[in-house]
Amino acid sequence: MRRLTVATIMLAWAVSNSGCSNAPAANNEQNLKDNPLLAESKLPYSIPALDKIKDADYRPALLRGIEIHNEEIRKIAENNETPTFDNTLVAMESSGTLMRRVLNTFNMVTGANTNEFLSKLKEEVDPMMAVHNDEIFLNQKLFKRVETIYNDREQLQLDPESKRLVEYYYQKFLMAGARLSDPDKTILKQMNEQEALLTAKYSNILLAATKQGALLISDSAQLAGIAETDLAAFAHNASEAGSKGKWLISLQNTTQQPMLQSLSNRSTREALFNASWTRAEKSDSNDTRNIITQIVALRIKKAKLLGFDNFAAWKLQDQMAQKPEAVMDFLSKLQPYAMKKANIEAADIQALIDKQNGGFKLQPYDWDYYAEKVRKAKYDLDESEIKPYFDMNKVLEDGVFYAANLLYGITFKPRHDIPVYQEDVKVYEVFDNDGQPMALYFCDPYKRDNKEGGAWMNNLVDQSHLLNKKPVIYNVCNFTKPAKGQPALISFDDVTTIFHEFGHSLHGLFANQKYPSLSGANTARDFVEFPSQFNEHWSLDPAVLSHYAVHYKTGKPIPASLVEKIRKAATFNKGYSLSELVSASVLDMQWHMLKDTTLVKDVDAFEKNALLSVGMQMTPVPPRYRSTYFKHIWSGYEAGYYAYQWTKMLEEDAYSWFQENGGISRANGQRFRDMILSKGNTEDYMTMFKNFRGHAPDITPMLKDLGMIEK
């Protein structure tokens, strides 16, 4: 494939879209006129005018941003003055402001509220940005300037954050291939562009497969066990899809689906599970297997070109774990605990099935349904009994926000004057403990067919003292939207998700960095989940729970007896959940530790053998994601899904410090904010953790919390 320069792409766009009535033409003055993305926003916190931006505005604005950034980088690289920290690295951090503004907005909208035009545009934007990234990090003149500063860093008397920035850029250039020969750089650029195109296509295909894979039900009897609020939502989904009088269950991004816990009709459970399991492998246009083999083969070749045995070895250089062997060693320590407990849980479930004369062997689509019955029998805990106390809006405002106030002193005020990209989005202004405004927070809670699966946090505006910017953060989730006039009742797992994603938001809200590249949650994958998983603990803290868990009809607080049941059941089914996570992590690592492209031809066979090779193949416990819909590892978390378990080790050890020092309090929260949440990527991650905890991460608190060993 020929290497595309930005100018070539601009020309290609103009030609390829010349016959498309709703697509913008090439970057010209007419297209730039009145484009709301081009000028610095006058709105609060410099947020873009989301109510004025049209789909056609992104392309010309981004092209203009890239043109400006190219010129800025050219001037830095060709500066005849001796390389200095200010004229090189500070200049780089100050460059590309328009491009970043457009990309932040574009990525937010294409992730949470896309359409056919934007999805196609993303398939053009991602490879274009790969090309642009290579133009910077494979620029030999620019690298020589950075290398000079790096070699002199000890003599430059830099402050700690500035020194970290030097080290950050030097490693980034090396990982990008700055030391390759010119011919090899050309090959690498072609690979990066192709990979970006493939991952963008994969995301779009998977989104379509997930939407197409929704289960349509014609007979209400097949939905026995489903709550009335969920039935109403499914009826609404069907009506919106043109199947009025039926029920449509949309798919979540995970293997197991939330409704499997409630469906009493076994054939419906099986149909829903199979819809999830096969969503992206139906040998149609939405089958992802072919594109996965292309991505893997490309990554193997890329690793070899960069001088590494496998892709994981290259990818993990800037992570806390650093090497694939460290990751696999960590996962191997979890595997026996997870499988042992999962087998015990499976035996309990099978015993219940046999007691009820079920006459069948436990299958994956039976697990959640019967596990709920076992939980009810063991702990007298019923999910339908819990949900009425968890109204999504109250969980957010009186739970998540309240905990943040108790720990960090921050407060939240709804803003109804801020433009949003979709009517469900809520906006809050955040005030620091001294009453000063510090950030904006967007929350987009409900599932839509044009929204990617899962839940996430990101920045719409990046915090930076250098650029004089305060953070604008957004959380996106995929809870079932209630029918009009009905409450948004959610499970306790969903409650945990809200606390989790807001933990990411706190990492961004408390960012206190000069340089945007080191700001907030711009940290390693195996560190970034630490604050989010840590924040989950406050969902069950007595001071917090009593403030938000009230019955949506009566307003009465959740009974202490029910809370005690939730606590006692906290380690229930953890063998299953840890096994599915470890299986997914192993699958990710096995894909990215491959050295030979000949082994990637059969996705299903590879997946099966990868799990068998480490003893993780257990029929009733499938991996949390199959390869075909494992979006994390094909577009962002490659060789990085283990981070969820690695950071659980970090956060459980950190939480044990809180337990040893009085629990939830302003003083403890401030210490965590000062030593972890506000640090961004300004310190070595292990050093940062040790400074807070007093020792290296210990896996014991994690195993205790999961009920794998005695507390």
Side-chain angles (χ1 to χ4, degrees):
M1 185 175 184
R2 69 187 176 93
R3 173 178 171 270
L4 297 180
T5 64
V6 174
T8 304
I9 291 172
M10 289 165 57
L11 177 61
W13 275 359
V15 173
S16 65
N17 288 300
S18 59
C20 183
S21 60
N22 65 338
N27 192 16
N28 54 45
E29 292 302 320
Q30 183 60 40
N31 275 333
L32 296 177
K33 186 179 180 182
D34 299 325
N35 189 319
L37 284 163
L38 291 178
E40 179 79 26
S41 172
K42 303 299 183 183
L43 293 171
Y45 297 86
S46 301
I47 63 166
L50 295 169
D51 56 338
K52 293 183 171 58
I53 299 170
K54 301 179 182 66
D55 292 348
D57 291 329
Y58 289 108
R59 179 181 287 150
L62 184 56
L63 290 174
R64 179 59 179 154
I66 291 173
E67 288 174 350
I68 294 171
H69 196 212
N70 277 340
E71 181 61 19
E72 291 168 334
I73 293 297
R74 185 192 65 77
K75 288 180 179 179
I76 296 168
E78 297 180 3
N79 189 342
N80 292 323
E81 297 176 1
T82 301
T84 68
F85 180 80
D86 285 338
N87 71 18
T88 303
L89 296 182
V90 172
M92 288 179 70
E93 286 292 283
S94 303
S95 68
T97 54
L98 171 58
M99 182 187 70
R100 283 200 300 268
R101 180 166 71 242
V102 179
L103 275 177
N104 283 352
T105 310
F106 179 73
N107 288 336
M108 179 177 72
V109 174
T110 53
N113 201 49
T114 194
N115 56 43
E116 185 178 355
F117 175 76
L118 291 177
S119 293
K120 290 295 183 184
L121 181 58
K122 186 170 177 59
E123 290 185 15
E124 300 175 32
V125 167
D126 286 2
M128 179 184 67
M129 294 313 303
V131 169
H132 182 61
N133 192 65
D134 283 343
E135 293 291 341
I136 296 171
F137 290 100
L138 295 178
N139 184 313
Q140 190 63 19
K141 290 182 179 179
L142 191 58
F143 173 61
K144 287 299 180 185
R145 295 183 70 86
V146 172
E147 187 176 41
T148 298
I149 298 165
Y150 177 81
N151 290 336
D152 294 341
R153 67 191 184 285
E154 300 297 343
Q155 289 74 48
L156 295 178
Q157 298 183 324
L158 298 170
D159 63 82
E161 184 180 342
S162 296
K163 185 180 178 184
R164 179 75 168 183
L165 188 72
V166 175
E167 295 165 347
Y168 165 84
Y169 266 109
Y170 183 68
Q171 185 178 51
K172 197 170 177 68
F173 270 91
L174 290 184
M175 288 185 68
R179 290 198 183 280
L180 292 176
S181 66
D182 286 342
D184 282 348
K185 283 181 180 178
T186 299
I187 295 171
L188 180 62
K189 289 176 182 180
Q190 293 169 349
M191 287 182 176
N192 289 340
E193 179 190 344
Q194 180 66 9
E195 184 182 0
L197 176 61
L198 289 171
T199 56
K201 282 186 174 180
Y202 168 85
S203 295
N204 287 336
I205 291 171
L206 179 58
L207 182 65
T210 302
K211 179 179 178 180
Q212 195 67 31
L215 182 65
L216 186 64
I217 301 294
S218 301
D219 183 358
S220 62
Q222 295 177 284
L223 294 170
I226 299 297
E228 287 297 325
T229 51
D230 289 325
L231 286 173
F234 298 154
H236 176 74
N237 290 347
S239 181
E240 288 286 298
S243 295
K244 191 172 183 179
K246 298 182 181 181
W247 297 263
L248 187 68
I249 306 177
S250 300
L251 297 179
Q252 301 287 351
N253 62 329
T254 51
T255 296
Q256 295 286 23
Q257 298 297 302
M259 289 304 113
L260 290 170
Q261 187 180 81
S262 304
L263 281 163
S264 59
N265 186 306
R266 191 169 189 244
S267 63
T268 308
R269 290 201 306 271
E270 183 177 10
L272 180 57
F273 180 86
N274 288 337
S276 172
W277 188 255
T278 64
R279 73 183 78 177
E281 53 171 55
K282 296 178 179 177
S283 300
D284 59 6
S285 60
N286 294 332
D287 194 311
T288 60
R289 286 174 291 188
N290 180 55
I291 207 165
I292 286 170
T293 61
Q294 294 179 63
I295 293 171
V296 174
L298 195 60
R299 287 176 179 173
I300 292 171
K301 292 176 183 176
K302 180 176 175 179
K304 297 291 185 186
L305 183 66
L306 289 164
F308 290 84
D309 284 343
N310 55 67
F311 188 86
W314 171 77
K315 185 71 175 180
L316 290 170
Q317 293 175 82
D318 61 350
Q319 301 296 297
M320 195 172 177
Q322 295 189 330
K323 295 181 181 296
E325 294 78 13
V327 175
M328 294 305 292
D329 179 64
F330 170 68
L331 295 174
S332 71
K333 291 175 181 176
L334 296 179
Q335 188 264 357
Y337 289 104
M339 295 298 285
K340 180 181 178 181
K341 198 162 196 299
N343 277 304
I344 293 171
E345 292 165 356
D348 287 344
I349 293 173
Q350 188 65 57
L352 177 61
I353 292 171
D354 294 343
K355 183 180 178 181
Q356 295 180 351
N357 298 316
F360 56 84
K361 188 175 180 181
L362 173 64
Q363 296 298 318
Y365 48 84
D366 298 314
W367 189 293
D368 286 357
Y369 179 73
Y370 283 97
E372 180 64 16
K373 290 184 176 297
V374 171
R375 179 170 68 162
K376 183 168 175 55
K378 277 193 170 186
Y379 307 103
D380 193 25
L381 186 63
D382 188 338
E383 191 69 46
S384 63
E385 186 181 7
I386 299 171
K387 272 190 172 184
Y389 293 96
F390 298 133
D391 180 290
M392 192 279 300
N393 293 299
K394 195 161 184 64
V395 171
L396 177 66
E397 296 184 354
D398 293 342
V400 173
F401 291 172
Y402 182 68
N405 177 258
L406 292 180
L407 284 160
Y408 313 112
I410 59 176
T411 54
F412 303 80
K413 178 183 177 182
R415 291 287 300 259
H416 303 292
D417 59 327
I418 302 296
V420 294
Y421 58 84
Q422 205 275 342
E423 61 182 7
D424 292 335
V425 180
K426 294 168 169 273
V427 184
Y428 300 85
E429 187 166 17
V430 188
F431 298 86
D432 211 340
N433 50 37
D434 60 359
Q436 291 300 307
M438 61 181 289
L440 280 182
Y441 170 71
F442 286 60
C443 181
D444 181 359
Y446 302 124
K447 180 170 178 58
R448 294 185 292 273
D449 285 340
N450 66 343
K451 178 192 282 191
E452 291 182 2
W456 63 92
M457 162 270 179
N458 216 327
N459 279 61
L460 180 56
V461 178
D462 300 305
Q463 181 275 333
S464 167
H465 297 310
L466 176 68
L467 303 179
N468 195 29
K469 297 296 182 188
K470 294 179 179 179
V472 178
I473 307 294
Y474 61 92
N475 278 155
V476 180
C477 297
N478 270 280
F479 306 130
T480 299
K481 185 176 181 178
K484 190 173 182 180
Q486 296 296 314
L489 302 181
I490 58 177
S491 68
F492 188 70
D493 282 346
D494 292 336
V495 171
T496 303
T497 295
I498 300 178
F499 275 86
H500 176 103
E501 294 306 330
F502 194 75
H504 283 307
S505 293
L506 289 169
H507 206 180
L509 292 172
F510 292 143
N512 190 29
Q513 279 66 61
K514 182 175 182 179
Y515 308 113
S517 290
L518 304 179
S519 178
N522 288 325
T523 62
R525 287 293 186 194
D526 57 7
F527 193 84
V528 78
E529 297 295 334
F530 169 20
S532 57
Q533 295 191 133
F534 173 82
N535 202 56
E536 293 177 19
H537 285 283
W538 309 120
S539 63
L540 269 179
D541 188 275
V544 179
L545 185 68
S546 62
H547 199 256
Y548 74 88
V550 299
H551 198 283
Y552 78 101
K553 284 184 177 178
T554 66
K556 292 182 178 180
I558 189 169
S561 58
L562 190 53
V563 175
E564 185 61 22
K565 291 177 186 178
I566 295 174
R567 291 188 186 284
K568 285 183 177 179
T571 60
F572 177 73
N573 214 40
K574 290 300 183 183
Y576 179 95
S577 59
L578 184 59
S579 293
E580 67 166 358
L581 287 168
V582 172
S583 293
S585 296
V586 166
L587 198 54
D588 172 26
M589 292 303 297
Q590 294 278 36
W591 274 120
H592 291 106
M593 290 173 67
L594 274 173
K595 301 177 182 180
D596 187 351
T597 58
T598 61
L599 299 174
V600 303
K601 294 179 180 178
D602 188 331
V603 172
D604 295 330
F606 178 86
E607 179 177 291
K608 182 179 179 180
N609 292 331
L611 296 176
L612 278 172
S613 68
V614 294
M616 289 304 301
Q617 185 70 13
M618 182 180 172
T619 300
V621 187
R624 186 169 176 81
Y625 307 92
R626 291 192 75 194
S627 301
T628 48
Y629 48 87
F630 203 166
K631 186 177 187 298
H632 292 75
I633 69 170
W634 305 126
S635 55
Y637 267 72
E638 54 273 18
Y641 194 72
Y642 76 92
Y644 286 102
Q645 291 91 67
W646 182 280
T647 50
K648 184 163 182 63
M649 171 179 65
L650 301 181
E651 63 89 0
E652 288 293 349
D653 203 4
Y655 182 66
S656 67
W657 181 92
F658 270 73
Q659 291 176 307
E660 294 162 8
N661 290 274
I664 191 167
S665 71
R666 276 287 293 113
N668 287 347
Q670 192 65 42
R671 185 174 185 270
F672 191 68
R673 172 178 175 173
D674 292 342
M675 300 182 76
I676 301 293
L677 294 177
S678 66
K679 289 290 187 181
N681 184 11
T682 60
E683 291 182 8
D684 173 77
Y685 302 118
M686 187 62 76
T687 300
M688 198 187 306
F689 183 86
K690 286 180 178 178
N691 287 343
F692 176 80
R693 186 62 182 102
H695 57 66
D698 181 2
I699 201 172
T700 306
M702 173 186 180
L703 293 174
K704 286 181 178 179
D705 180 75
L706 294 172
M708 305 295 165
I709 59 177
E710 292 296 324
K711 292 187 178 182

